[in-house]
């Protein structure tokens, strides 16, 4: 039946459709109906692995209930735990004892070496003394010729005058040893003549070898130039010449080596100091007094 030109659906049709919808909604699983069946499929992608840095970080993560404190390496001070403190003290004391023992051993060995060397030197010296029986040579100033000081006694002259004195000492060397020779070396030798502490002339000792039981008389020369005396000193020398006793000091230094059989010793300085007085200031001057002393270090002489 048509009302106002509109077509109304039948009631049965509406009820059938509603019933179908209600029945469809009442069903528990929509997929049970063949008309509304769906198939949900999702592709499973493999899980991405974290980078190595993240893995290491995960491995380093502390366990629950623990704490991780990071500090710079140069700020970490390593100290032994309290239960090992006695071990540290023990090892420290043992290290100190070992060091002290090592130092003691070194000092002991050094002392023993020095003692052994001293014993060897003493034995060697004793053998030399018993076998060769060394005796100190004797030195005597025989004469002292003087020149170049003429007119020095003229005390009335106040003008300064330069002198060039020359001295020729004659020395007698006596070697009383029967098995020892003496080598006198010219290099490094020195002869000096002075008056009242003022150096007047210098020279050198001649080099020669003096055999056992030998007496040698040698002549040396000492010269000076440009020597100026004060008026007081010239007056003193003039008064001493009038008294025929002009004092001079003669100092001789010469290196010597001893010949012990086929062995030559090391060089030692021989020093001879003579205090003499001459009667006049000429080449023919004579000694009116003399006193000589001899010093030879590091040699054991028997007087």
């Amino acid at each position: 039946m048509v009302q106002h030109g509109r077509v109304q659906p039948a009631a049965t049709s509406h009820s059938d459709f509603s019933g179908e919808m209600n029945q469809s909604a009442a069903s528990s699983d929509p997929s049970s109906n063949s008309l509304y069946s769906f198939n949900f499929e999702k592709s499973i992608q493999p899980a991405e692995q974290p980078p190595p840095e993240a893995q290491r970080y995960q491995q380093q993560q502390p366990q629950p209930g623990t704490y991780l404190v990071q500090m710079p390496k140069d700020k970490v001070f390593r100290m032994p735990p309290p239960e090992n403190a006695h071990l540290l003290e023990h090892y420290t004391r043992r290290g100190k004892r070992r060091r002290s023992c090592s130092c003691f051993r070194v000092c002991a060995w050094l002392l023993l070496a020095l003692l052994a060397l001293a014993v060897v030197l003493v034995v060697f010296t004793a053998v030399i003394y018993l076998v060769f029986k060394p005796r100190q040579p004797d030195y005597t100033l025989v004469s002292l010729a003087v020149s170049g000081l003429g007119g020095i006694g003229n005390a009335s002259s106040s003008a300064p005058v330069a002198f060039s004195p020359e001295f020729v000492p004659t020395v007698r060397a006596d070697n009383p040893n029967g098995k020892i020779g003496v080598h006198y070396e010219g290099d490094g030798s020195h002869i000096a003549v002075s008056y009242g502490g003022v150096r007047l002339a210098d020279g050198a000792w001649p080099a020669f070898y003096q055999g056992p039981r030998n007496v040698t008389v040698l002549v040396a020369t000492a010269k000076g130039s440009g020597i100026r005396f004060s008026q007081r000193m010239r007056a003193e020398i003039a008064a001493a010449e009038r008294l025929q006793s002009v004092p001079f000091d003669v100092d001789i230094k010469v290196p010597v080596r001893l010949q012990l059989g086929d062995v030559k010793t090391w060089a030692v300085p021989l020093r001879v100091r003579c205090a003499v007085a001459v009667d006049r200031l000429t080449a023919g001057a004579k000694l009116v007094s003399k006193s000589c002393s001899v010093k030879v270090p590091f040699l054991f002489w028997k007087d």
Side-chain angles (χ1 to χ4, degrees), residues 1 91 129 183 294:
M1 179 176 189
Y91 289 132
Y129 187 83
H183 294 271
V294 181

Side-chain angles (χ1 to χ4, degrees), residues 48-296:
E48 295 182 359
Q49 297 293 332
E53 292 77 5
Q55 295 180 7
R56 287 195 298 268
Y57 177 76
Q58 294 176 0
Q59 293 176 359
Q60 293 177 358
Q61 288 298 318
Q63 298 296 328
T66 60
Y67 296 92
L68 179 63
V69 180
Q70 295 184 356
M71 297 179 61
K73 186 175 181 180
D74 56 348
K75 299 298 183 180
V76 177
F77 301 94
R78 300 182 181 274
M79 296 295 293
E83 60 271 12
N84 294 337
H86 67 284
L87 294 177
L88 175 63
E89 185 179 358
H90 170 71
Y91 289 132
T92 303
R93 288 199 305 266
R94 188 170 66 175
K96 291 182 179 180
R97 287 197 300 267
R98 287 182 177 178
R99 287 194 296 269
S100 61
C101 292
S102 300
C103 295
F104 177 76
R105 290 195 186 101
V106 171
C107 295
W109 281 110
L110 182 59
L111 181 60
L112 289 177
L114 293 177
L115 289 177
L117 181 60
V119 171
V120 171
L121 290 178
V122 170
V123 172
F124 177 77
T125 303
V127 171
I128 294 298
Y129 187 83
L130 294 176
V131 173
F132 293 94
K133 297 180 181 179
R135 297 179 60 187
Q136 179 174 291
D138 183 42
Y139 301 94
T140 304
L141 185 64
V142 178
S143 64
L144 181 65
V146 183
S147 61
L149 293 178
I152 194 174
N154 189 5
S156 61
S157 176
S158 59
V161 180
F163 294 89
S164 298
E166 180 177 342
F167 299 87
V168 181
T170 301
V171 181
R172 181 179 185 269
D174 184 5
N175 180 16
N177 296 281
K179 299 180 180 180
I180 299 177
V182 183
H183 294 271
Y184 298 92
E185 299 183 355
D187 296 338
S189 63
H190 182 248
I191 297 177
V193 180
S194 58
Y195 173 84
V198 178
R199 184 74 60 83
L200 302 179
D202 296 281
W205 184 274
F208 70 98
Y209 170 71
Q210 185 178 22
R213 299 191 184 280
N214 178 266
V215 177
T216 302
V217 178
L218 56 95
V219 179
T221 302
K223 297 181 180 182
S225 61
I227 306 300
R228 299 180 182 275
F229 297 94
S230 64
Q231 186 175 2
R232 180 184 61 82
M233 186 173 291
R234 286 193 299 171
E236 291 179 359
I237 294 176
E241 187 176 13
R242 286 193 298 268
L243 295 176
Q244 297 184 350
S245 179
V246 183
F248 293 102
D249 294 324
V250 181
D251 295 303
I252 301 174
K253 178 182 177 182
V254 55
V256 298
R257 297 176 183 269
L258 300 184
Q259 187 71 39
L260 305 174
D262 297 333
V263 178
K264 184 187 296 186
T265 65
W266 61 93
V268 295
L270 168 67
R271 289 183 173 87
V272 180
R273 182 178 179 85
C274 297
V276 300
V278 297
D279 58 350
R280 56 185 184 272
L281 302 176
T282 62
K286 296 181 180 179
L287 296 177
V288 295
S289 64
K290 59 182 178 181
S291 176
C292 296
S293 61
V294 181
K295 292 182 179 180
V296 186

